Amino acid sequence: MYVYELERPEHLRDWLLMRYRVMQPVQDATGNGSWQEVISGDVTPFDPALRPVMSPKTMFFAEREHLFEFDGETFRSSRPASEPQVLFGMKACDLTALAYQDLHFQDDPYYQARRKDTLLVGIDCSSPCENGFCSTVDAGPLVDEARADLILAPMPSVGGDQPGWWLICASPAGQAAVDGMNLTPADSHWRYWRDMNGEHARAAFPNDTYIINGIQRINARAIPDAVWDNLARKCLGCSGCSQTCPTCSCYATRDIKTDKGFYRERFHDSCLMEGFQREASGANPTSAAGRRVARYWYHKFSGDFVRKMGRFGCVGCGRCEATCPGSIGVHSVMEKIAHV
C-alpha cells in the first residue's frame, strides 16, 4: 500500500476529472448537501465536513428502474449503461453501508453494472457529525482501508490551519488512478498521526450508552409489544427513514402495460408500509403498525443479521433522526426502549 502527501483534495479531484465522471457532496440552495457532478474546470471548493442528506446508494440501487420488457414473444433485458465514475469524499459510515449493499446485491446484475466501474474516494472524519454514532457500531470515524480505493486523511492541524492531507492508495485500482500525479511519498509516521486523529474524533462523540442498552434489549426480545405500538402511533408512513438509510434495500416490482406488451419496473419500497408483506392470499404478518416498527429496528440491530451480513444493519449515520417528522429516528427510539 502506497501513501502520499497531498496539498489539497481538489488537486486529486481535478486529476481524476480527466478520466472519470466525478460526483462529490455539494451544498445546494437549501443549505443541505447533495451528490452532484463536478465539471472539469469547476472551482467549487471541496468541503471535507459536508455530508449529503441522501446516501449514495441510489447511484447503484436506483429508486426506479426498467428491468425488462416483453412483446408477447421475446423478453428483452434492460441492463443499465455504465461509465467510469468516482464518488469523491465518502464518509466512513457510507462506505461501510455500501459494502453492506455490495454483499446484499452481489448477484444483482443491475446493481453490479453500475458498481463495477466506480472508484471510491473516502475521507476520514475528524469530529462527529450531527446525530452520528458511527464509532459505536464500528462504522467510523476512520475509513476502513478495505472499503475504499483511495482515502483522504487529514494531517494534524497547526495553529488551527490544515497543513495538508495524506492520500492512501488502498487498492490496485486506487493506485492506478493516481499514477502520473508526481506525488511525494509520505513519511513513516503517517499511520501514527492518522490513528491519533481517530482517537480524538472518537473521544468527541457524546455518551450514547442508551444505544448500546437498546441493542441489548432488542436482541434479548425484552421490549413489550405495547412499546412498539406506542412508537408506531408517531409513524406517518412517509418512508423517509428507509429512503435516507444507506443500508435499506427493500424494493417492489410492477408490470406496466404498453402498446407492444409490457415492461417490468423495480422501485424502492419500505418495510414500514402497510402492504409491504401482504401476501396474495390477503394475509399480512405485519398489518399492525407496531409490528412493522419492531421489524424495522430488528433488521437494524439484530444479531441474526450480524451472522448473515457480518455487521449490524445500522452504520450510525443518524439520517433517520434528522429526517423523521414523527420523531422516531434512531436516537429517539433507542432512548425509549433502553429505559422501558
Side-chain angles (χ1 to χ4, degrees):
M1 182 172 64
Y2 292 92
V3 182
Y4 303 99
E5 294 180 0
L6 185 71
E7 184 180 350
R8 300 174 60 214
E10 290 85 351
H11 294 169
L12 173 63
R13 182 192 67 187
D14 293 346
W15 172 267
L16 295 173
L17 273 167
M18 293 190 291
R19 295 173 52 191
Y20 298 90
R21 173 176 178 256
V22 176
M23 306 289 290
Q24 78 166 39
V26 175
Q27 191 171 55
D28 57 29
T30 67
N32 294 314
S34 61
W35 288 96
Q36 298 182 24
E37 183 173 359
V38 180
I39 306 302
S40 181
D42 193 338
V43 295
T44 302
F46 173 70
D47 183 352
L50 184 63
R51 191 193 65 179
V53 173
M54 300 296 292
S55 80
K57 73 176 180 182
T58 54
M59 297 183 192
F60 311 107
F61 172 38
E63 290 187 38
R64 295 176 62 181
E65 64 181 326
H66 190 134
L67 297 182
F68 62 82
E69 60 187 38
F70 180 63
D71 61 7
E73 296 182 356
T74 306
F75 286 92
R76 294 182 179 84
S77 179
S78 305
R79 299 287 175 85
S82 64
E83 61 178 311
Q85 66 174 349
V86 173
L87 297 188
F88 191 89
M90 288 184 69
K91 306 294 187 183
C93 57
D94 282 343
L95 284 163
T96 302
L98 187 57
Y100 191 93
Q101 297 279 26
D102 286 348
L103 180 60
H104 180 77
F105 287 109
Q106 60 184 329
D107 297 320
D108 187 289
Y110 303 92
Y111 178 98
Q112 293 299 333
R114 300 181 179 95
R115 179 70 179 85
K116 65 181 177 65
D117 292 326
T118 302
L119 192 80
L120 305 177
V121 180
I123 183 168
D124 288 343
C125 293
S126 298
S127 60
C129 60
E130 185 179 6
N131 296 316
F133 57 99
C134 58
S135 60
T136 301
V137 289
D138 192 27
L142 300 186
V143 172
D144 187 319
E145 293 167 11
R147 293 174 180 154
D149 298 296
L150 294 167
I151 302 170
L152 291 165
M155 294 179 181
S157 61
V158 178
D161 295 327
Q162 176 65 54
W165 299 77
W166 287 295
L167 175 60
I168 304 168
C169 298
S171 76
Q175 179 64 56
V178 301
D179 281 348
M181 278 192 74
N182 193 28
L183 297 166
T184 301
D187 64 37
S188 60
H189 302 295
W190 71 270
R191 186 175 291 280
Y192 169 81
W193 288 111
R194 185 185 184 219
D195 290 343
M196 285 294 295
N197 175 56
E199 291 302 316
H200 284 296
R202 291 184 188 93
F205 280 85
N207 187 318
D208 58 7
T209 304
Y210 60 91
I211 291 179
I212 298 171
N213 292 340
I215 293 172
Q216 292 173 343
R217 291 182 64 81
I218 286 175
N219 283 281
R221 305 292 200 277
I223 304 162
D225 289 347
V227 173
W228 293 120
D229 292 339
N230 286 333
L231 288 168
R233 292 189 182 97
K234 300 180 180 180
C235 179
L236 305 182
C238 69
S239 79
C241 54
S242 300
Q243 298 304 314
T244 58
C245 176
T247 64
C248 275
S249 54
C250 292
Y251 64 84
T253 61
R254 60 185 173 188
D255 295 336
I256 300 174
K257 188 173 177 56
T258 67
D259 293 339
K260 298 180 180 180
F262 73 88
Y263 69 88
R264 177 161 295 175
E265 179 184 70
R266 175 166 73 177
F267 55 93
H268 285 194
D269 205 346
S270 171
C271 62
L272 288 168
M273 296 296 191
E274 183 179 357
F276 181 74
Q277 284 194 287
R278 185 182 297 127
E279 302 168 2
S281 66
N284 188 343
T286 55
S287 58
R291 294 296 87 216
R292 297 194 295 275
V293 172
R295 183 180 187 272
Y296 180 87
W297 292 109
Y298 177 81
H299 277 226
K300 298 304 172 190
F301 292 114
S302 168
D304 291 341
F305 286 87
V306 174
R307 288 186 284 275
K308 180 180 179 181
M309 302 296 289
R311 60 161 293 107
F312 287 133
C314 175
V315 296
C317 69
R319 287 184 172 98
C320 56
E321 186 74 22
T323 302
C324 179
S327 299
I328 52 170
V330 63
H331 291 284
S332 303
V333 168
M334 300 303 276
E335 189 163 13
K336 176 68 174 178
I337 67 178
H339 298 104
V340 172

